[in-house]
Amino acid sequence: MSDEIKNTEVKQENKTIEISDRYNPNEVENKIYTWWEKSGHFKSSDQSHKPPFSIILPPPNVTGFLHMGHALDHTIQDLLIRWKRMQGYNVMWLPGTDHAGIATQTVVEKELKKQNITRHQLGRQAFVEKVWEWKHQYGNRIYNQMRRLGDSCDWDRACFTLDEGVSKAVKKVFVSLYKKNWIYRGKRLVNWSGPLETAISDLEVEHKQVKGALYHIKYELTDKSGFLIVATTRPETMLGDSALCVHPEDERYKHLVGKTALIPLINRPIKVIADTYVDKQFGSGVVKITPAHDFNDYKIGVTHKLDFINILTKKCELNENTGPYQGLKVSEARKKIVEELKLQNLLEKEEPYVHSVGHCSRSGAVVEPFLSEQWFVKTENLSTPAKRVVESGTIRFSPESWTKVYLHWMNIIEDWCISRQLWWGHRIPAWFCDDCGHITVTEGDLQHCEKCNSQKVHQDEDVLDTWFSSALWPFSTMGWPNETETQKTFYPTTYLVTGHDIIFFWVARMIMMGLEFKRDVPFRTVYIHGLVRDSQGRKMSKSLGNSIDPVEMIEKHGADALRFTFLAHLFSGKDLKFSEQRLEGYRNFMNKIWNATRYGLSHLHDFAVPTEGAKALPSKAHISIYDQWILSKLQQAQKTVDEALEQERFSDAATCLYQFIWNDFCDWYIEFSKPILSAGPSEDRKATQLILAQVLNRMLRLLHPFCPFITEELYQKLPIKNSACIIDQYPTILNDRELLDLASVNAAKEIDLIKEVITAIRNIRGENRISPAEKLKIRLAVNDEKTQKIIGENKSTIQSIARVEITSIGDAGNISKCAVNTATTADFQAKVIIPLEGLVDFDEEIKRITKTIEKLTKDIGILTGKLSNEKFLSHAEEDVIENDKILLEQSKIQIQSLQEALLRFQN
């Protein structure tokens, strides 16, 4: 596009519209979003003649900031929401935030610590009030960041997991499950965070590779007949050992089963037992069993009815069961025990050992398996129907491969620990009687024991796991347990969009709860996307220093560029590699759209806006072959985008739009249509103006769900438009049939050839370093009359755009000292021949080509070697292998072309 359109003032209907020469997202985005929101364009209706389409936003933590995972997740949802809104659906996107028990309590405790205050000094009620104060002050922060991204949520429906209505639903579900004996209280092993003094979920455990040691400890048999050697990374846990275990078929130890050995240092006798759990090939074939501090050992402890000896306090310090080590921290106890084992010659050896250790994601402390009294949900009866609805296809996972993962998890599901030793959250609705010990579970506040009528009752101090309230999110946000119009219209929801890391923690539990309490699935489709990684494929983390703030990216490059970066590289559930360089490329795309629209509007200053608006059609007799060509390309784009969106191939849709806008419209149609638009008034010019206006209208509407801000801003400046792009109709080949009937398949084929001829000329200029300003004399060699006719009819266009003079169309003639490039389409072929004498130094060109051939030969050897290497093929990513294959083929074609050029230049 030329610079002639800078600072253009566009006149329409006697109005002058000023459009700046550069797109500035910061000037546009906030203004547009505020206008959308005030205009009520995000609102849905509980009663409507339109078909419903609904998504429940996975609620981000109220403590949180928008991170790259959120940005990807929300971009996909907003794409679906905007697309369906434009298709005429009654669209509801319900936003909300999660109270995030541990995360929020931790944040507020840190704030109090700055004032040298602990929550225990404040007391429970005062502390909870402090957390609510924090929530009211900072809780909407992430909502504002979501607005920056363009999330078109129905904000009037926003929910919080501790809202009164949600709390009512939580209590009802707890009581209902308890009455069915599907919730129970028991002593079991859980993940425990010492600093937080609470059980935590598996999702809150971060596994890190730690350089530790493997300690080989000697357990003496009580009959003094020898020692058994046991290897462990946690020698302090031997204080809670209940047995030593060997494989029942291990000939080395069969005779020892039933005998006893002494725990080193404390000399407590424990039995030697046999279980097939032991791998007799690993280490010495003897393992220590500590049922109260290891999840695998816990199961063996239950099977063999062993003692469960807890050696830790709630702060993860050693307790009264550890004798002289009481009061020590785990790390201190480990150090002291190892020293004493060495002194007593009970440490066979110590060797360096790198292993994965779970750490609490909130406190950073090592997570300890800890035996404690907790509340659990029995999952057996809930999980069976939750499996069936996925097996039957009632719920569909996309990509389908996640179906197997879900069903595998559901087949090995265990009871769910739902209690947390926190103050912030849904307090468990269970009361204990101080007189008779009876537990009363009820939705309301309890005044007296239901069994003995005593008034000495107190509520359980624990709160529910955050995932418990989140499991009810699809219906608790719609007014359940009351019957509401919202539920009738929007439940089940249409889509759930989420990452694969919470399929088990959240998706499965929503399905179980939805089926139990609504007797229907919570959603029809679960769309699973990958993680956002850095450009090297590494997980983003503070420790690596590679985390990227999406809000910062929006401020630098605009929300539309960020959204399009995600959508253009979203491949079927795979992780997405993000780079700012790629983002800058899409920022350039936004500028391209801006400038192309400005240019188009500059040629519509005298355009008479038709009363038919988007349905207006020019006379077929006056539209040019280039108009027919761009309509054909628009038709292809609409068909491809519609099919791709329907099949959730979002990157295919984005790529198609990119190619249509950048290549077909900006790079070619604008150039093709310039002579017509720049000519004086005529019926042909009016026809092309109308086609230009209609294509601009469709282009912005097609792109809107992907890039909402720039499209709305430009749409408002179009001569043909409705009130807002956000609620205009999404273009398809069905609703645009009359306009697209003006397209011509033959015109598309012919102009594609002209494009290829001009491209071939430009390539010759580039390869031979000939200035674009140099007017060249060229020959076009063709083998058939049809091709000759097409080129003849478009000769002036080729000469104008490519800055050439076509001296002949027909035979190739003598090609010595000529550059030759072939323009090929599916239907036609023509050779571009440019005599180079006087334009290049042939000796220098021969040297350059020879050097390039040598390099390409070397590259081909390397690529061939890689692609025949089984180790490379088995370890490299698919896209890397595919790119290498493409590069190899391209290199072979290039070397052949250079060898042919060398022959021509040497003659």
Side-chain angles (χ1 to χ4, degrees), residues 187 189-195 197 234-241 290 292-294 308-323 325-334 337 366-372:
K187 205 166 191 177
L189 212 55
V190 295
N191 295 315
W192 189 268
S193 173
E197 296 186 44
R234 301 159 67 210
E236 71 284 352
T237 60
M238 73 180 192
L239 304 174
D241 285 354
T290 319
H293 294 286
D294 182 277
F308 287 72
I309 303 166
N310 180 24
I311 64 167
L312 296 175
T313 67
K314 290 181 179 180
K315 291 183 178 179
C316 287
E317 294 172 351
L318 273 68
N319 66 14
E320 69 281 0
N321 292 327
T322 62
Y325 307 102
Q326 184 175 355
L328 294 178
K329 293 178 180 176
V330 168
S331 57
E332 295 169 343
R334 183 175 301 173
I337 285 169
V366 171
V367 172
E368 297 288 347
F370 185 73
L371 195 64
S372 64

Side-chain angles (χ1 to χ4, degrees), residues 775-789:
K775 192 164 185 179
L776 304 174
K777 290 189 175 183
I778 72 166
R779 305 195 304 272
L780 293 171
V782 296
N783 294 323
D784 62 274
E785 289 182 8
K786 176 68 174 171
T787 305
Q788 190 170 19
K789 181 173 181 288

Side-chain angles (χ1 to χ4, degrees), residues 563-588:
R563 289 168 64 113
F564 205 84
T565 303
F566 288 139
L567 294 170
H569 297 276
L570 190 65
F571 300 112
S572 190
K574 292 182 180 177
D575 290 348
L576 183 149
K577 291 180 184 177
F578 181 88
S579 73
E580 192 169 355
Q581 185 179 4
R582 184 178 279 165
L583 174 58
E584 287 168 0
Y586 290 116
R587 167 63 195 262
N588 293 339

Side-chain angles (χ1 to χ4, degrees), residues 28-80:
V28 169
E29 292 176 355
N30 185 57
K31 174 191 73 175
I32 289 290
Y33 196 94
T34 303
W35 175 70
W36 280 331
E37 204 169 349
K38 283 183 178 176
S39 301
H41 292 318
F42 303 158
K43 291 183 179 179
S44 53
S45 176
D46 285 349
Q47 294 179 310
S48 172
H49 64 278
K50 296 178 180 179
F53 181 91
S54 56
I55 296 177
I56 302 290
L57 179 84
N61 288 356
V62 73
T63 57
F65 294 88
L66 201 70
H67 57 62
M68 292 298 276
H70 288 134
L72 169 63
D73 194 69
H74 292 204
T75 295
I76 298 166
Q77 291 175 72
D78 196 51
L79 166 72
L80 290 166

Side-chain angles (χ1 to χ4, degrees), residues 743-813:
S744 164
V745 175
N746 289 332
K749 291 176 180 178
E750 291 176 15
I751 300 308
D752 280 344
L753 174 63
I754 303 307
K755 267 179 58 189
E756 291 304 313
V757 168
I758 295 168
T759 301
I761 296 166
R762 288 172 173 171
N763 288 342
I764 289 173
R765 283 187 188 272
E767 288 164 7
N768 294 279
R769 291 165 292 180
I770 302 170
S771 167
E774 183 85 37
K775 192 164 185 179
L776 304 174
K777 290 189 175 183
I778 72 166
R779 305 195 304 272
L780 293 171
V782 296
N783 294 323
D784 62 274
E785 289 182 8
K786 176 68 174 171
T787 305
Q788 190 170 19
K789 181 173 181 288
I790 293 166
I791 291 174
E793 289 172 348
N794 293 277
K795 182 178 176 181
S796 61
T797 298
I798 297 170
Q799 294 184 147
S800 171
I801 294 175
R803 284 192 62 78
V804 295
E805 179 189 336
I806 300 172
T807 59
S808 71
I809 306 170
D811 295 332

Side-chain angles (χ1 to χ4, degrees), residues 62-63 99-120 122-139 141 160 196 362 422-425:
V62 73
T63 57
H99 65 277
I102 292 175
T104 310
Q105 181 161 315
T106 303
V107 167
V108 177
E109 284 196 80
K110 283 179 180 176
E111 290 297 313
L112 290 173
K113 194 175 181 181
K114 294 174 185 176
Q115 306 165 41
N116 292 318
I117 301 172
T118 68
R119 66 180 165 108
H120 297 286
L122 277 180
R124 183 170 192 143
Q125 186 175 344
F127 175 76
V128 170
E129 287 172 3
K130 281 283 182 190
V131 184
W132 274 109
E133 285 175 20
W134 186 93
K135 190 266 178 188
H136 292 314
Q137 187 173 354
Y138 298 107
R141 179 174 54 194
F160 179 53
L196 301 180
R362 300 299 168 189
L422 303 169
W423 287 355
W424 173 248

